[in-house]
Amino acid sequence: MKSVKHTATEGNPLGILPVGSLMRKFALPSIVAMMVSAVYNIVDQLFIGQAVGTLGNAATNIAFPLAMMCTAIALMFGIGGASSFNLTLGAGDEKRAPYFVGNAITGLVIGGSVLCLTVELFLRPLLVGFGSPADVLPYALSYVRITALGFPFLILTIGGGHLIRADGSPNMTMLCNLSGAIINVFLDALFVMGLGWGMQGAALATIMGQFFSAGLAVRYLLHYKTVSLRLEHLKPKAEFITFIMKIGAASSINQLAMMVVQILLNNSLKYYGAQSVYGEAIPIACAGIVTKCNQLFFAVVIGLSQGSQPIESFNYGAKKYGRVREAYRLAVTAGVAISVVAFAMFQLIPRQLISLFGEGSQEYYQFAVNYFRIFLFFTWANAIQPITATFFTSIGKPKKGTFCSLTRQILFLVPLILILPLFMGIDGILFAGPVADALAVTVTALMAYFEFRRMPKE
């Protein structure tokens, strides 16, 4: 008679089907889901840019660190719970596996609620700390006071999507995100352009889409397929919460690092912009638009890494190391290919891209084009770092995953943003990007190389 572990491993499609087929099954919906998440931010910026202008664009960039915080919480418990679940299931422990899903759901709900309350209580000082110029602050306050109400639902949608994907239903994850985005786009057009509600209209459209997406995610989670979820699985237990947070730390810290960089970037652009011909608002507005265009490309890369996660986790737990190698290789190959396409667009048509977000002065276009071409010069290689960070998390090595996540943002970019402008002015901020990217790609690629050399062949 087969052991429980053998049966669980051999009977799961993650350990049987061709890796290429599994990557298509899991990565494509993940890519769509991540792109839809990026659309939430970009659509608001598109309509706000057309209806409100530069100050409105700057306001959405000031608010952007809060969106990153939502994603950080969602990934902490979403990817942490999903990876823990798949690793445990791959090892054949079907009794403990549902506790990771249930505790992850509880963590998502608590985290979203705490963030919403904190932001509503300390909104003005937070936005000032994020680098808001005085003339931008009223727009940012109007926007975030409403969008903060949707934070618990956004976090539950993003994090719940990872748990749904771990259950073998990536298409459902895609549906949850896609439906909310469609609602958001439709209501943005109605509220912002049709009714002229400006920043408040864009915020209302956003949270209404998030309410609907979260409802779909909750409905699925109540009927989990792989294991049966009961109330006892939702009760927080230190053993499971701690492991989930440890496994999800790399992905979460990456977002937190991006948030720290965004706040530092806003304040630096404000300070050095005031000393240049651009002024305070133009660099912040342009950087926000460029960041969100880059986020749309990066959503494809993150989708690839997330699509590889259940394959890498399960097969590493089942000691099928050849399948782990193949999943990583496919993710990196596809990621670099899409990175090259994005690099070409950012270099060849930056003015056309920035024009989609409304009109501006000659200085506005000049700074935006320079930001695209210089700050994002190493876009063609940027897929390696996030895919490698997720890989280490997926195989249960969160410390290495966390270090990979910190390389670009904290280890390299933060010091460069602080040092280079002292000698180059605002241009130093632009050149900090490619230098940090080159260093991060080199370090993470070497880490992956040595990890695979140590991994058993079979």
Side-chain angles (χ1 to χ4, degrees):
M1 184 175 179
K2 292 183 178 180
S3 67
V4 173
K5 178 178 178 178
H6 185 74
T7 302
T9 301
E10 294 301 324
N12 196 303
L14 290 170
I16 299 172
L17 296 180
V19 174
S21 299
L22 289 171
M23 280 294 295
R24 286 190 293 272
K25 177 183 177 182
F26 284 92
L28 288 177
S30 299
I31 289 169
V32 173
M34 289 304 301
M35 291 187 71
V36 167
S37 297
V39 165
Y40 271 122
N41 296 305
I42 291 175
V43 166
D44 281 354
Q45 188 117 31
L46 282 168
F47 285 104
I48 287 170
Q50 296 292 336
V52 181
T54 301
L55 294 180
N57 276 330
T60 60
N61 195 32
I62 293 299
F64 197 46
L66 292 173
M68 294 178 178
M69 175 60 78
C70 288
T71 305
I73 295 172
L75 296 183
M76 171 73 78
F77 294 102
I79 287 186
S83 297
S84 302
F85 173 74
N86 287 133
L87 281 168
T88 307
L89 205 62
D93 193 346
E94 298 181 49
K95 183 177 180 180
R96 296 176 73 247
Y99 284 98
F100 289 110
V101 177
N103 275 236
I105 294 171
T106 302
L108 292 169
V109 172
I110 294 174
S113 301
V114 170
L115 180 63
C116 173
L117 182 60
T118 302
V119 171
E120 292 290 357
L121 289 175
F122 303 102
L123 181 56
R124 182 179 290 270
L126 281 171
L127 295 179
V128 172
F130 291 168
S132 178
D135 53 352
V136 174
L137 186 58
Y139 295 91
L141 286 169
S142 176
Y143 182 73
V144 178
R145 188 169 284 117
I146 296 173
T147 56
L149 299 175
F151 287 171
F153 302 93
L154 174 61
I155 289 170
L156 188 56
T157 300
I158 297 174
H162 292 288
L163 300 175
I164 293 170
R165 188 181 301 112
D167 194 40
S169 300
N171 289 331
M172 187 61 196
T173 299
M174 179 177 66
L175 177 62
C176 291
N177 288 277
L178 188 59
S179 59
I182 292 173
I183 292 171
N184 186 26
V185 172
F186 175 78
L187 293 180
D188 260 327
L190 175 62
F191 294 163
V192 179
M193 305 302 292
L195 300 177
W197 290 356
M199 302 296 293
Q200 292 179 332
L204 285 170
T206 297
I207 65 172
M208 287 183 180
Q210 292 166 354
F211 292 162
F212 187 84
S213 294
L216 289 180
V218 169
R219 184 175 182 274
Y220 181 96
L221 292 171
L222 291 174
H223 302 87
Y224 217 65
K225 296 188 307 182
T226 309
V227 295
S228 297
L229 290 180
R230 299 187 296 273
L231 286 177
E232 65 180 278
H233 299 137
L234 297 171
K235 184 178 179 180
K237 292 186 177 182
E239 172 192 358
F240 301 109
I241 287 288
T242 301
F243 193 76
I244 288 169
M245 295 179 69
K246 184 172 72 172
I247 294 295
S251 299
S252 179
I253 288 174
N254 188 45
Q255 285 294 317
L256 292 174
M258 291 171 64
M259 184 186 74
V260 169
V261 170
Q262 186 67 42
I263 294 170
L264 174 63
L265 196 57
N266 286 344
N267 282 282
S268 297
L269 290 169
K270 175 185 174 182
Y271 178 79
Y272 290 103
Q275 302 176 19
S276 70
V277 297
Y278 305 115
E280 291 182 341
I282 285 177
I284 292 175
C286 293
I289 293 170
V290 174
T291 296
K292 288 172 184 176
C293 288
N294 185 51
Q295 185 190 30
L296 190 60
F297 135 72
F298 221 62
V300 180
V301 174
I302 298 300
L304 284 167
S305 67
Q306 292 175 357
S308 65
Q309 175 269 312
I311 305 169
E312 292 167 346
S313 292
F314 184 90
N315 285 285
Y316 194 84
K319 303 187 186 307
K320 296 185 176 183
Y321 301 115
R323 295 173 64 82
V324 176
R325 288 185 174 86
E326 188 175 358
Y328 176 83
R329 179 183 60 79
L330 289 173
V332 168
T333 301
V336 170
I338 193 64
S339 299
V340 170
V341 174
F343 169 78
M345 292 179 63
F346 296 159
Q347 294 297 314
L348 297 175
I349 55 170
R351 186 179 178 107
Q352 290 85 337
L353 291 173
I354 203 74
S355 297
L356 296 173
F357 297 86
E359 297 297 322
S361 64
Q362 182 60 36
E363 291 79 12
Y364 171 84
Y365 284 114
Q366 179 183 342
F367 188 83
V369 169
N370 288 339
Y371 202 94
F372 261 120
R373 287 179 172 163
I374 299 174
F375 194 82
L376 299 182
F377 183 77
F378 253 86
T379 297
W380 56 272
N382 277 353
I384 296 173
Q385 185 240 2
I387 290 174
T388 303
T390 299
F391 158 72
F392 280 116
T393 300
S394 299
I395 64 172
K397 298 189 177 183
K399 290 183 180 179
K400 291 184 177 181
T402 300
F403 180 79
C404 285
S405 297
L406 292 175
T407 51
R408 196 257 182 187
Q409 305 293 342
I410 300 299
L411 192 61
F412 300 129
L413 188 55
V414 166
L416 289 168
I417 289 176
L418 292 173
I419 295 170
L420 292 185
L422 296 175
F423 305 97
M424 304 172 65
I426 197 168
D427 287 343
I429 298 174
L430 305 186
F431 285 96
V435 176
D437 289 338
L439 293 171
V441 166
T442 302
V443 171
T444 52
L446 286 173
M447 288 180 66
Y449 171 75
F450 287 113
E451 182 65 33
F452 280 117
R453 284 198 64 178
R454 285 191 293 269
M455 190 180 294
K457 295 297 181 183
E458 295 297 336

